């Protein structure tokens, strides 16, 4: 029997939700039936899956899924939810009985097979009921009242708040507009908690506790998302060619990959740049990409890091990676550079050579992304992925201007807004075929010129900047409110 | 630098160098660190290796003992071989030394285990 699940998401990185889920679903080859068309304005999906194993697989990877509930009943009003649950107890058809497949008009019926409830009722099963409300806050007392309204459920086991055998979940959705919260919820759900997603990993991998960070270290949540976009799995070989402090390798290694990194910055890879943490005077001895992996006990999948300029070839012909995950320099917080010098007849004396740190010339973004896509087209296994960030001035964005390559297909494209005017997009490309022709195919490095535009915008007056800042803070406060959720 | 890295690395970055492979290793400091043994990974990596290059590299730094000169079929069933390979590929590391381009003789230093493949401004002119 296929089972019906409610997947409850964190209200964060909304534009990444679909992409992350699709990546995980296709990674594990999971057949999913959508019972309701997913909408970004709702923090949940309702799906059917062939068995509980599948929902556990999804939850084992997703950082955006908060938890997965075996859905017993749903309704648009409280009284209907209770009516549905009571009728579910009598539903011996062995399948879901719902309004949508009965008569043509969608009535508010949703009854699970009674076996699902009965399986939880034995006196041997301790249980508790949790209440979660989206976009509305309730006091503990109010929540207890809500819990008591489920008294009629024939649960015979003892109530146990800490690690019960069974956790039941009651969820109320009050829409996604914190300025316009209705009196009564729009949707109500009841079911059995099955599994949590990987939200805890975000804390575990938090940059606040990371040994070695740089000015542009990627935060834990986005790093994990990137590893999911890349469909990293145990035993994969992964490369980050702009590795910096190695955040992306840390998350790839968490999912079992063996990792290589390279970066042009000798001082960075040797942990000798100025410390990035406020208040820290000197870098500690173990500060390195490897040190980070040691911290998370994945040092066994550290291969190496190399000091190298990505604009020049490094790897042997025919060698292929399972994934390339990277955050190239955007030229704002750190320069986009490659080795070179613009003067003619430049020559270095012999003794100078040994510890010489070469001068760098600008590495244009278009050229950089062109090189990156070309590199992926030659050095990725077919069917595997390149995942990279791409910075943009928002109003200039046109999808057909993104970097492209005939061997790579853009399978996901999610926006993270950085300010009112700027954003970066996480681009996921899948290698669809090998460049068998032996000749370099034409690559398009994209034609948004972020750096120039970014600095042109830097021309704005102080007043404008101040205004924008307060606008952003207001937006952030709203967003925080919307994300507020309470679990008793 | 581990030998698995050496097996994939070239000096093609240099102007006029065609393959830049394999790089010769000159090691002044070698360390051996323990790494979890993962036979599936080693089995997956074998087809990506240039075996002769691995064999020569391991011997050139004194860690080739027990490594067969040619790879026999059904290697995935040979646990001894996989263990030996595991050691040579992942546990032996060149801490200090350098890599030499086979075509131009250009040397790339390895310090604290990290190879430096950067060129000078003059070399990229
Ligand atoms: C946005 S940062 C990556 C940060 C990294 N994800 C982390 O977690 O620390 C970009 C990196 O690219 C490096 N870089 C810039 N130009 C490069 C080039 N031509 N070749 C290789 N690396 C380069 C910079 O030194 C910097 O460390």
């Amino acid at each position: 029997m296929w089972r019906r699940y409610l997947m409850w998401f964190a209200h964060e990185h909304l534009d990444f939700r679909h992409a992350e889920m699709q990546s995980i679903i296709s990674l594990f080859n999971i057949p999913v039936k959508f019972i309701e068309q997913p909408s970004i304005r709702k923090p949940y999906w309702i799906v059917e899956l062939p068995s509980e194993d599948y929902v556990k697989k999804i939850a084992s990877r997703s950082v955006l899924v908060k938890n997965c509930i075996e859905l017993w009943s749903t309704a648009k009003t409280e009284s209907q939810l209770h009516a549905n649950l009571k009728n579910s107890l009598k539903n011996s058809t062995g399948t879901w009985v719902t309004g949508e497949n009965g008569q043509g008009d969608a009535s508010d019926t949703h009854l699970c097979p009674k076996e699902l409830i009965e399986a939880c009722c034995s006196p041997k099963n301790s249980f508790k009921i949790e209440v979660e409300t989206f976009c509305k806050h309730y006091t503990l007392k109010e929540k207890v009242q809500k819990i008591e309204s489920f008294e009629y459920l024939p649960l015979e086991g003892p109530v146990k708040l800490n690690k019960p055998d069974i956790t039941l979940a009651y969820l109320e959705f009050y829409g996604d507009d914190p300025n316009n919260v209705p009196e009564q919820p729009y949707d109500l759900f009841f079911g059995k908690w099955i599994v949590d997603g990987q939200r805890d990993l975000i804390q575990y991998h938090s940059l606040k506790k990371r040994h070695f960070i740089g000015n542009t270290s990627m935060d834990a949540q986005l790093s994990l998302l990137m590893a999911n976009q890349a469909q990293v799995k145990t035993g994969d070989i992964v490369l980050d060619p702009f590795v910096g402090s190695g955040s992306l390798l840390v998350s790839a290694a968490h999912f079992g990959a063996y990792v290589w990194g390279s970066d042009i910055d000798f001082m960075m890879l040797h942990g000798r740049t100025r410390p990035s943490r406020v208040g820290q005077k000197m870098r500690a001895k173990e500060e390195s990409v490897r040190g980070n992996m040691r911290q998370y006990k994945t040092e066994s999948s550290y291969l190496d890091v190399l000091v190298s300029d990505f604009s020049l070839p490094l790897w042997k012909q025919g060698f292929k990676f399972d994934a390339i995950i990277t955050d190239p320099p955007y030229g704002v917080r750190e320069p986009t550079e490659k080795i070179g010098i613009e003067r003619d007849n430049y020559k270095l004396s012999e003794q100078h050579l040994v510890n010489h740190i070469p001068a760098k010339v600008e590495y244009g973004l278009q050229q950089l992304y062109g090189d990156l896509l070309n590199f992926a087209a030659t050095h990725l296994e077919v069917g595997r992925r390149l995942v990279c960030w791409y910075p943009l001035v928002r109003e200039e964005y046109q999808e057909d201007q993104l970097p492209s390559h005939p061997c790579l297909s853009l399978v996901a494209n999610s926006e993270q807004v950085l300010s009112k005017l700027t954003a970066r997009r996480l681009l996921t490309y899948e290698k669809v075929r090998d460049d068998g022709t032996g000749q370099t195919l034409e690559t398009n490095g994209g034609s948004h010129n972020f750096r120039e535009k970014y600095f042109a915008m830097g021309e704005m007056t102080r007043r404008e900047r101040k205004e924008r800042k307060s606008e952003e803070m207001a937006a952030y406060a709203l967003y925080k409110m919307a994300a507020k959720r309470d679990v008793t | 630098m581990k030998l698995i890295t050496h097996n994939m690395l070239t000096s093609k970055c240099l102007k006029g160098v065609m393959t830049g492979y394999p790089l010769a290793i000159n090691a002044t400091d070698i360390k051996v660190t323990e790494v979890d043994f993962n036979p599936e990974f080693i089995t997956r990596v074998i087809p990506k290796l240039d075996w002769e290059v691995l064999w020569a590299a391991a011997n050139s730094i004194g860690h080739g003992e027990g490594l067969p000169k040619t790879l026999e079929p059904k290697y995935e069933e040979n646990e001894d071989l996989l263990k030996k390979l595991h050691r040579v590929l992942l546990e032996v590391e060149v801490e200090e030394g350098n890599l030499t381009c086979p075509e131009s003789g250009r040397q790339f230093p390895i310090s604290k285990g990290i190879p430096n493949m950067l060129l000078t401004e003059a070399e990229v002119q």
Side-chain angles (χ1 to χ4, degrees):
Chain A
M1 175 184 67
W2 283 55
R3 304 222 162 172
R4 214 168 258 217
Y5 295 98
L6 178 75
M7 311 193 77
W8 198 260
F9 294 94
H11 195 62
E12 216 182 335
H13 299 307
L14 301 187
D15 202 32
F16 293 70
R17 183 188 295 167
H18 186 77
E20 193 204 32
M21 291 299 280
Q22 279 307 328
S23 298
I24 297 172
I25 286 168
S26 95
L27 169 63
F28 294 121
N29 224 332
I30 297 180
V32 181
K33 276 190 214 155
F34 288 93
I35 299 307
E36 181 187 282
Q37 187 62 29
S39 155
I40 220 60
R41 305 203 53 191
K42 295 177 174 180
Y44 56 83
W45 280 12
I46 303 176
V47 298
E48 266 186 20
L49 296 168
S51 77
E52 199 167 292
D53 286 349
Y54 287 97
V55 78
K56 286 187 170 157
K57 273 190 187 164
I58 296 175
S60 75
R61 290 297 296 255
S62 175
V63 285
L64 294 180
V65 164
K66 283 171 68 178
N67 43 53
C68 305
I69 311 289
E70 179 184 270
L71 190 58
W72 288 359
S73 201
T74 164
K76 303 243 169 253
T77 61
E78 205 179 325
S79 55
Q80 183 65 36
L81 183 78
H82 290 301
N84 282 346
L85 263 178
K86 284 176 189 159
N87 287 328
S88 296
L89 287 165
K90 294 179 240 154
N91 174 15
S92 46
T93 62
T95 137
W96 268 266
V97 174
T98 53
E100 66 255 35
N101 49 20
Q103 51 277 56
D105 64 324
S107 76
D108 203 10
T109 308
H110 182 117
L111 316 180
C112 74
K114 67 174 185 176
E115 292 77 11
L116 294 186
I117 306 180
E118 283 169 359
C120 299
C121 292
S122 145
K124 279 184 296 198
N125 290 333
S126 60
F127 76 95
K128 71 169 168 186
I129 301 179
E130 287 197 344
V131 178
E132 175 146 348
T133 53
F134 188 88
C135 222
K136 189 158 189 160
H137 184 77
Y138 284 104
T139 63
L140 193 58
K141 203 175 143 206
E142 288 166 320
K143 284 184 179 175
V144 170
Q145 274 169 7
K146 288 179 192 288
I147 290 172
E148 282 168 353
S149 69
F150 293 96
E151 254 172 10
Y152 55 85
L153 288 174
L155 298 161
E156 288 172 34
V159 172
K160 186 163 172 256
L161 295 183
N162 187 24
K163 299 210 179 102
D165 299 322
I166 286 165
T167 300
L168 300 174
Y170 171 53
L171 305 102
E172 294 180 341
F173 174 58
Y174 289 88
D176 69 341
D177 180 359
N179 294 322
N180 202 356
V181 181
E183 199 50 40
Q184 296 299 324
Y186 293 116
D187 289 283
L188 305 89
F189 307 93
F190 194 88
K192 177 181 146 197
W193 172 87
I194 302 295
V195 65
D196 282 339
Q198 298 300 311
R199 305 289 297 162
D200 287 351
L201 266 186
I202 300 169
Q203 297 312 316
Y204 177 63
H205 277 180
S206 165
L207 290 180
K208 288 194 195 125
K209 294 174 266 170
R210 180 88 45 94
H211 282 321
F212 174 48
I213 56 168
N215 296 338
T216 56
S217 290
M218 184 63 61
D219 82 54
Q221 176 160 208
L222 292 171
S223 298
L224 291 160
L225 266 175
M226 289 175 80
N228 279 337
Q229 284 308 106
Q231 298 184 318
V232 168
K233 58 180 191 307
T234 306
D236 276 357
I237 298 177
V238 170
L239 172 71
D240 180 353
F242 299 94
V243 72
S245 65
S247 321
L248 309 181
L249 298 187
V250 163
S251 65
H254 174 81
F255 293 123
Y258 284 77
V259 297
W260 263 303
S262 64
D263 199 288
I264 201 172
D265 192 341
F266 177 95
M267 301 301 265
M268 183 79 185
L269 293 189
H270 284 269
R272 276 159 49 189
T273 49
R274 289 228 317 273
S276 305
R277 223 180 274 284
V278 184
Q280 183 183 344
K281 293 252 162 53
M282 262 170 53
R283 292 249 182 221
K285 223 176 153 205
E286 72 283 9
E287 284 198 33
S288 61
V289 173
R290 187 178 198 147
N292 281 345
M293 296 188 54
R294 191 175 301 136
Q295 179 182 358
Y296 301 110
K297 306 186 175 58
T298 50
E299 196 183 351
S300 282
S301 28
Y302 173 85
L303 293 174
D304 268 310
V305 294
L306 303 132
V307 183
S308 131
D309 179 347
F310 185 68
S311 66
L312 298 171
L314 178 66
W315 304 93
K316 75 178 176 190
Q317 196 189 348
F319 178 56
K320 295 197 168 112
F321 299 91
D322 296 308
I324 299 164
I325 310 178
T326 198
D327 182 24
Y330 318 147
V332 178
R333 276 183 296 177
E334 84 282 62
T336 43
E337 293 167 331
K338 57 182 183 173
I339 302 298
I341 190 154
E342 277 153 347
R343 245 179 305 147
D344 282 338
N345 294 325
Y346 180 88
K347 213 165 179 170
L348 223 61
S349 65
E350 278 299 317
Q351 83 262 33
H352 210 132
L353 262 173
V354 186
N355 280 319
H356 173 69
I357 295 190
K360 294 157 187 175
V361 294
E362 198 191 315
Y363 188 10
L365 282 183
Q366 290 178 30
Q367 195 192 345
L368 187 159
Y369 284 94
D371 288 351
L372 184 57
L373 268 62
N374 253 327
F375 182 83
T378 13
H379 287 288
L380 256 188
E381 298 280 2
V382 172
R384 304 304 311 263
R385 292 172 165 198
L386 160 69
V387 176
C388 60
W389 288 101
Y390 184 77
L392 283 158
V393 171
R394 295 187 75 196
E395 62 181 24
E396 309 266 309
Y397 173 63
Q398 279 175 291
E399 191 176 332
D400 60 0
Q401 307 275 300
L402 290 174
S404 63
H405 189 284
C407 295
L408 302 172
S409 131
L410 183 68
V411 293
N413 166 6
S414 309
E415 183 188 42
Q416 183 194 23
V417 176
L418 298 175
S419 71
K420 200 160 125 191
L421 299 173
T422 62
R424 57 180 177 183
R425 284 180 171 269
L426 186 63
L427 304 180
T428 304
Y429 296 91
E430 197 162 289
K431 179 160 167 186
V432 285
R433 59 189 161 96
D434 248 319
D435 175 0
T437 57
Q439 67 211 14
T440 337
L441 289 162
E442 205 179 314
T443 309
N444 166 10
S447 44
H448 304 93
N449 200 342
F450 183 66
R451 192 175 141 86
E452 253 169 45
K453 298 274 165 41
Y454 185 91
F455 286 115
M457 289 185 332
E459 302 288 298
M460 79 185 90
T461 63
R462 273 191 63 186
R463 217 190 95 221
E464 280 173 323
R465 231 174 288 167
K466 246 175 118 180
E467 276 172 3
R468 193 196 313 161
K469 183 112 195 270
S470 53
E471 240 171 68
E472 272 167 22
M473 281 170 66
Y476 182 71
L478 275 180
Y479 151 83
K480 274 286 183 204
M481 254 171 78
K484 197 175 209 158
R485 80 273 185 244
D486 281 292
V487 182
T488 41
Chain B
M1 182 200 67
K2 299 179 198 270
L3 292 189
I4 188 175
T5 306
H6 171 263
N7 207 272
M8 311 304 171
L9 225 52
T10 74
S11 53
K12 267 189 296 191
C13 54
L14 288 162
K15 274 239 169 74
V17 166
M18 296 307 292
T19 48
Y21 186 81
L23 299 162
I25 305 176
N26 173 9
T28 56
D29 184 17
I30 292 173
K31 71 169 187 190
V32 179
T33 29
E34 211 172 292
V35 171
D36 299 342
F37 178 49
N38 177 345
E40 294 82 38
F41 176 69
I42 302 295
T43 309
R44 273 200 68 205
V45 160
I46 291 173
K48 294 182 185 268
L49 295 172
D50 184 317
W51 190 267
E52 266 172 50
V53 168
L54 178 67
W55 187 86
N59 280 290
S60 79
I61 60 167
H63 282 270
E65 205 191 318
L67 201 64
K69 195 157 185 192
T70 51
L71 181 65
E72 302 292 333
K74 294 208 175 159
Y75 52 76
E76 63 277 8
E77 293 163 16
N78 183 346
E79 171 129 339
D80 281 350
L81 175 70
L82 296 182
K83 282 202 168 132
K84 177 71 203 162
L85 261 177
H86 164 76
R87 186 169 186 82
V88 169
L89 289 171
L90 300 177
E91 297 193 324
V92 175
E93 297 186 66
V94 179
E95 275 292 286
E96 302 289 330
N98 50 54
L99 296 166
T100 309
C101 166
E103 291 166 48
S104 67
R106 159 69 144 103
Q107 296 200 329
F108 298 92
I110 303 172
S111 63
K112 302 215 166 72
I114 304 177
N116 181 354
M117 307 304 290
L118 289 187
L119 305 181
T120 63
E121 300 83 340
E123 287 170 309
V124 297
Q125 282 273 294

